[in-house]
Amino acid sequence: QVQLVESGGGLVQAGGSLRLSCTASGSIFSINAMGWYRQAPGKQRELVARITSGGSTNYADSVKGRFTISRDNAKNTMYLQMNSLKSEDTAVYYCNLDQSSGGYEYDYWGRGTQVTVSS
């Protein structure tokens, strides 16, 4: 099993910044990618940003130019630097890890961290 623990969420004013962290532990073998997803009340969970094992990144259009995803492989930790936050960024942010083992692909999720942006 893999455990993912998010931290760094909180309440911030519009225009402010937050940095989320996600640390993975447990049975980590071959990580394909890690990512951040978010879910606002009454909405579906959506991809925010994703980074592959090779370092390739992709972002939701709504956060491009404002958010930056990064990884510290030595620490099994992923980050999301969020700048110029808007009220529409308010959501629970979830960490995701996708890895392969024995020919199978596994998907893991953290419990989420709340980000609230006040206007």
Side-chain angles (χ1 to χ4, degrees), residues 8 14 22 52 54 63 71-72 80 88 94 96 105 111 115:
C22 170
T52 68
V63 307
R71 276 177 63 183
D72 184 335
L80 185 68
E88 51 262 46
Y94 296 91
N96 171 264
E105 196 164 331
R111 293 188 174 186
V115 171

Side-chain angles (χ1 to χ4, degrees), residues 44-61:
Q44 288 189 333
R45 190 173 295 189
E46 63 176 0
L47 173 69
V48 176
R50 189 170 180 266
I51 183 166
T52 68
S53 59
S56 297
T57 59
N58 63 287
Y59 296 89
D61 287 342

Side-chain angles (χ1 to χ4, degrees), residues 2 8 13 16 19-20 26 31 33 37 47-48 50 52 59 63 66 68-69 78 81 87 89 107 112 117:
V2 172
Q13 287 189 332
R19 188 193 195 206
L20 305 183
I31 297 176
Y37 290 72
L47 173 69
V48 176
R50 189 170 180 266
T52 68
Y59 296 89
V63 307
R66 299 189 298 122
T68 302
I69 189 171
M78 174 180 63
Q81 179 67 43
S87 56
D89 294 318
D107 220 18
V117 183

